[in-house]
Amino acid sequence: MPAGVVKRVLLASPRGYCAGVERAVETVERALQLYGPPVYVRRQIVHNAHVVRDLEERGAIFVADECDAPEGATLVLSAHGVAPSVYANAAARRLNTIDATCPLVTKVHVQARRYAADGATIVLIGHEGHEEVVGTTGEAPDAIVLVQSVEEAEALELAEDEPVAYITQTTLSVDETAEIVAALRRRFPHIRAPQSEDICYATSNRQRAVKRLLGEVDLLLVIGSANSSNSNRLVEVAAAGGIDAHLIEDETEIDEDWLDGPETVGLTSGASAPEVLVTRVCDWFRSRGVTEIEPFGSAYEDVAFKLPVELRRAESPAV
Ligand code: SF4
């Protein structure tokens, strides 16, 4: 069956796994090798249903809460970071805790603690309920105020002379966040800002790659799970640029009706989506007669993080 009139598929670059996700997934894999199953994982290690299913098949047990892991068990904390209370609960249950929080999330936690120690009110730009936001807020719950939009930034009520700082979730829209920050700076000219952007390199690079692609494609497919923040932002970037975009878990979610018209389809994947899913979608197009499947863009990423220290120590006690 032909895929509508699609002639070409362009693959955004960079796309897919970031260094934080690589590290988190490898952490669970290495913990399974080292300790044997079951290894407990608090929440989804990364926001991708395929990754979670694959690790479950290999012996990982995903739990909603650290208190759901049996006393003394091995527990991996997800890439999104946790509130300090989680470490305390895990210690009280004598869990062998391995912290796979992405170092770029940890950096935001450290900022939150510093600003709070300085007595500042901290505006956290992010999405309510997202695990990263819950974890970061836990660092200084009395000092942090969540802001999700320009409107909320405009409506924020703080005393004029109150020390104030902002931090952000790492996986936000670069453009929307810039607008919110601009509104905060207008309202509070003395607001303190992080030394380097909190939105991480992987989020920014994937959004930039999609923007470059938009002039070339009639439709964008984004591989990622519905709860993946950075994947959803890629769909929004395309929509803001006037291109139809759909978030798909894998090739089984492609609706043939979407392909009735577009000649060139862009394909990208969120930071938690494994490359094998891109290969599967490409094969799906090939099986429908599309022969031109080409990379587009050339951004090179060489970020890599060391595995969590708990794991390195267990593997090599000299660490
Ligand atoms: Fe870390 Fe960014 Fe990847 Fe999140 S998306 S795990 S912050 S590198």
Side-chain angles (χ1 to χ4, degrees), residues 88-236:
N89 292 340
R93 296 179 68 72
R94 295 181 300 100
L95 298 178
N96 173 26
T97 303
I98 304 172
D99 186 2
T101 300
C102 175
L104 300 182
V105 174
T106 301
K107 173 185 136 251
V108 180
H109 282 231
V110 171
Q111 279 166 345
R113 288 200 293 270
R114 276 198 197 125
Y115 288 144
D118 289 349
T121 293
I122 305 164
V123 179
L124 169 57
I125 305 171
H127 295 291
E128 187 168 16
H130 188 278
E131 274 164 60
E132 185 185 325
V133 165
V134 173
T136 305
T137 304
E139 291 288 355
D142 297 333
I144 288 181
V145 185
L146 182 66
V147 160
Q148 305 189 75
S149 63
V150 170
E151 293 71 32
E152 288 185 13
E154 298 288 5
L156 200 59
E157 287 190 17
L158 296 175
E160 289 227 332
D161 55 350
E162 193 170 326
V164 56
Y166 78 83
I167 53 177
T168 84
Q169 192 179 328
T170 56
T171 50
L172 298 178
S173 152
V174 171
D175 294 340
E176 275 178 30
T177 305
E179 288 174 19
I180 297 172
V181 168
L184 288 172
R185 287 188 189 280
R186 263 195 315 274
R187 297 269 334 275
F188 313 105
H190 62 294
I191 195 166
R192 289 169 66 190
Q195 278 190 341
S196 59
E197 282 303 318
D198 289 339
I199 295 178
C200 77
Y201 80 95
T203 299
S204 314
N205 287 352
R206 279 148 193 69
Q207 289 177 21
R208 204 175 304 121
V210 162
K211 282 184 188 168
R212 280 201 297 260
L213 199 57
L214 292 184
E216 307 290 326
V217 303
D218 310 302
L219 172 79
L220 181 75
L221 298 179
V222 179
I223 301 173
S225 287
N227 60 346
S228 163
S229 174
N230 80 88
S231 303
N232 279 293
R233 303 298 79 81
L234 296 176
V235 173
E236 290 170 4

Side-chain angles (χ1 to χ4, degrees), residues 38-60:
V39 163
Y40 290 80
V41 183
R42 186 183 183 277
R43 308 281 172 93
Q44 291 194 342
I45 183 74
V46 298
H47 285 159
N48 186 271
H50 284 273
V51 172
V52 168
R53 251 197 321 272
D54 178 56
L55 291 171
E56 267 174 345
E57 281 166 12
R58 291 151 78 176

Side-chain angles (χ1 to χ4, degrees), residues 15-22 25 46 48 51 201-202 206 269-275 301:
R15 63 177 177 275
Y17 269 17
C18 61
V21 165
E22 291 265 13
V25 173
V46 298
N48 186 271
V51 172
Y201 80 95
R206 279 148 193 69
S269 49
S272 44
E275 185 65 11
E301 290 179 338

Side-chain angles (χ1 to χ4, degrees), residues 20 23-28 31 35 39-42 45 74-84 86-87 90 95-103 105-107 109 113 139 305-312:
R23 173 181 185 263
V25 173
E26 190 179 345
T27 296
V28 179
Y35 299 109
V39 163
Y40 290 80
V41 183
R42 186 183 183 277
I45 183 74
T74 294
L75 177 76
V76 179
L77 302 177
S78 81
H80 310 100
V82 296
V86 172
Y87 298 110
L95 298 178
N96 173 26
T97 303
I98 304 172
D99 186 2
T101 300
C102 175
V105 174
T106 301
K107 173 185 136 251
H109 282 231
R113 288 200 293 270
E139 291 288 355
F305 299 125
K306 282 186 188 161
L307 287 168
V309 66
E310 305 90 340
L311 196 58
R312 285 184 284 131

